[in-house]
């Protein structure tokens, strides 16, 4: 646990977020600065800094998050139009919050896809 971590605070309910899913292992909420029409973050309850610090024991929660991303994509209507699951690893890749998270990004218009 990291006292200064914004995602730990969101997980603990100490900072607000617009949740789409929550259980004891992980949460999913809308990104505050969406980079696409649909932009949801899936965040484990445990403070794991990045994929670089993932251990064997984290396999279960990561697989649960991926499976839930599929369900959320369906619920939000982007399963068939297509979406990306993105994990930025390290500053050089654009990671700014050092609490592991999966970006679920989609909802681009058909016109945009064709341009
Ligand atoms: P990263 O660049 O680390 O992969 O992604 C971090 C993401 O977290 C960014 O897309 C950013 O907009 C989002 N973010 C940062 N702070 C907050 C916050 O307080 N609330 C929410 N909902 N999203 C946040
Ligand atoms: Zn954290």
């Amino acid at each position: 646990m990291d006292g200064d971590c914004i995602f730990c605070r969101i997980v603990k309910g100490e900072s607000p977020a617009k949740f789409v899913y929550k259980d004891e292992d992980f949460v999913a909420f809308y990104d505050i600065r969406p980079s696409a029409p649909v932009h949801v973050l899936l965040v484990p309850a445990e403070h794991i800094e990045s994929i670089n610090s993932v251990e064997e024991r984290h396999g279960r929660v990561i697989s649960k998050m991926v499976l839930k991303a599929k369900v959320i994509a369906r619920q939000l209507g982007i399963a068939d139009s297509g979406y990306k699951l993105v994990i930025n690893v390290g500053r050089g890749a654009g990671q700014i919050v050092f609490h592991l998270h999966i970006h679920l990004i989609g909802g681009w218009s058909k016109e945009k896809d064709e341009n």
Side-chain angles (χ1 to χ4, degrees):
M1 202 62 79
D2 181 337
D4 219 26
C5 171
I6 179 60
F7 286 179
C8 281
R9 290 204 296 271
I10 288 173
V11 165
K12 286 187 273 179
E14 294 170 4
S15 283
K18 196 174 163 199
F19 289 99
V20 294
Y21 181 78
K22 200 189 271 196
D23 71 18
E24 67 279 6
D25 295 321
F26 71 97
V27 299
F29 53 86
Y30 285 96
D31 196 292
I32 205 167
R33 287 187 60 215
S35 63
V38 175
H39 191 166
V40 168
L41 302 171
L42 295 105
V43 177
E46 180 179 341
H47 181 87
I48 306 163
E49 281 206 356
S50 82
I51 284 291
N52 280 339
S53 30
V54 154
E55 298 170 8
E56 197 74 31
R57 67 189 175 86
H58 297 127
R60 182 175 156 275
V61 68
I62 291 171
S63 98
K64 277 185 71 174
M65 289 194 295
V66 171
L67 290 168
K68 185 57 74 173
K70 178 189 79 168
V71 172
I72 293 171
R74 176 69 60 195
Q75 286 169 347
L76 297 181
I78 59 171
D80 294 329
S81 55
Y83 57 93
K84 299 181 188 187
L85 299 181
V86 174
I87 303 177
N88 295 324
V89 187
R91 278 182 218 288
Q95 186 177 4
I96 54 169
V97 176
F98 281 80
H99 180 138
L100 180 67
H101 50 282
I102 302 173
H103 297 259
L104 164 56
I105 306 166
W108 305 281
S109 68
K110 201 166 185 301
E111 295 79 55
K112 196 179 171 196
D113 286 347
E114 286 167 355
N115 287 336

